[in-house]
Amino acid sequence: MNTLKFLRLQLVTALALLASLLVPNISTAESQKLVLVAGKPSHPPRMHEFNAGVQLLAKSLQDVEDLDVEVVLNGWPTDESVFEDADAVVFYMDGGGRHEIVQEEGRRLKIIDQWAKQGVGLGFMHYGVEVVADQAGEEMMRWIGGHYENAFSCNPIWEPSFTVFPDHPVTQGVKPFQINDEWYFNMRFLSGSAGNEAETVDGMKFQPILLAKPSDDVRDGPYVYPRGPYDHIQASKGRAEAMMWVVERTDGGRGFGFTGGHFHDNWGNDDYRKVVLNTLVWTAKGDVPSNGIESTVTQDELDLNLDPKKPRKKK
């Protein structure tokens, strides 16, 4: 090769290298991985349909770019490799003293705590937000900023109207809606707050998302269990309550709690579904479109994947 050809080759190589440095390669963007964990069957038909619910949510997220959704059915997976490289893990399941996350003498709690330290997003929905304080209260405060506590929180079935939303990615495209559900409220929140205002506590940013004021009749009960009323719930009449909230943790991870999700057919409501879909994507650090996550759900799709359950006996 003569000197001139060699110099030309060197020049072409240098220009190609310079171009690669100046022009961003948009095809190398990494996707986010979201794992949705459904609990075992419980309650009568079309209630606590965790397995059908996570599959419906996954289907509603299938067109979201750069998001990979993994679904785990019937509780904690036997093969835990599904959690590898997860950007967010969300639990939609029964809670309380037999919560899936407290089994194995705390081994699972330690696993989830390690995820949190690595910045993995965490979410808990419906009964899944309830833990026994001595078992996992501190962890839930660290992970998502709050939890349901039996006999302190309450769980009436009622129909709040959500009319005003904060300026936040998870509310994008969500329109006012009103829907009947077993909406828990009076949660245990970080710093002992009522949870109805945005605040930062020890570096954790807390933002209520779904706020509504229960009527006096709702506060007076009955609640699903124990039936109540509870004096401290009645004493807070007129106060707005948070039934969905999000946090940004100091470890870089995000989290949320959602107290709805009792009645399976509520997933057919576009705005109810959208605020949860938005939150799932946001918790995994995905980009929520300005109009939110668009999806449609038919009655046939609501009827898919329901757990085999005996119909509730008529009284």
Side-chain angles (χ1 to χ4, degrees), residues 83-273:
F83 296 127
E84 292 178 3
D85 301 319
D87 294 282
V89 181
V90 175
F91 298 93
Y92 183 29
M93 57 182 50
D94 284 347
R98 297 182 179 180
H99 203 305
E100 291 276 348
I101 67 170
V102 303
Q103 303 304 310
E104 298 186 71
E105 299 180 344
R107 186 185 77 90
R108 296 177 187 177
L109 285 176
K110 292 177 181 177
I111 290 173
I112 300 169
D113 212 33
Q114 186 59 39
W115 297 343
K117 291 175 182 177
Q118 295 169 348
V120 174
L122 295 169
F124 293 83
M125 303 203 302
H126 197 50
Y127 198 179
V129 301
E130 180 180 347
V131 295
V132 175
D134 290 343
Q135 286 183 316
E138 291 183 6
E139 288 86 349
M140 291 288 275
M141 287 293 186
R142 290 200 301 271
W143 301 339
I144 66 168
H147 64 88
Y148 184 105
E149 181 178 315
N150 185 47
F152 176 80
S153 309
C154 64
N155 59 344
I157 292 176
W158 59 299
E159 192 172 352
S161 294
F162 301 109
T163 58
V164 179
F165 307 108
D167 182 12
H168 193 280
V170 307
T171 64
Q172 292 179 163
V174 180
K175 300 174 183 177
F177 65 97
Q178 181 175 349
I179 198 162
N180 188 57
D181 207 328
E182 185 185 6
W183 291 106
Y184 310 156
F185 64 87
N186 206 71
M187 313 296 281
R188 287 285 190 192
F189 288 116
L190 72 171
S191 78
S193 72
N196 54 14
E197 294 182 358
E199 61 177 333
T200 300
V201 179
D202 295 330
M204 178 184 282
K205 295 180 181 179
F206 176 95
Q207 175 66 63
I209 298 299
L210 295 182
L211 282 169
K213 292 182 180 180
S215 69
D216 290 354
D217 286 343
V218 169
R219 287 189 177 275
D220 290 342
Y223 319 136
V224 174
Y225 180 82
R227 289 181 63 82
Y230 311 158
D231 290 343
H232 64 281
I233 299 293
Q234 292 177 307
S236 297
K237 288 180 177 178
R239 186 179 77 183
E241 302 285 352
M243 283 154 278
M244 184 179 195
W245 68 94
V246 298
V247 297
E248 295 179 66
R249 305 190 308 260
T250 57
D251 53 47
R254 297 170 176 179
F256 78 93
F258 173 67
T259 77
H262 180 78
F263 295 117
H264 178 69
D265 291 296
N266 284 348
W267 295 120
N269 181 288
D270 290 343
D271 293 292
Y272 177 100
R273 187 175 67 255

Side-chain angles (χ1 to χ4, degrees), residues 11 91 253 304:
L11 178 60
F91 298 93
L304 287 175

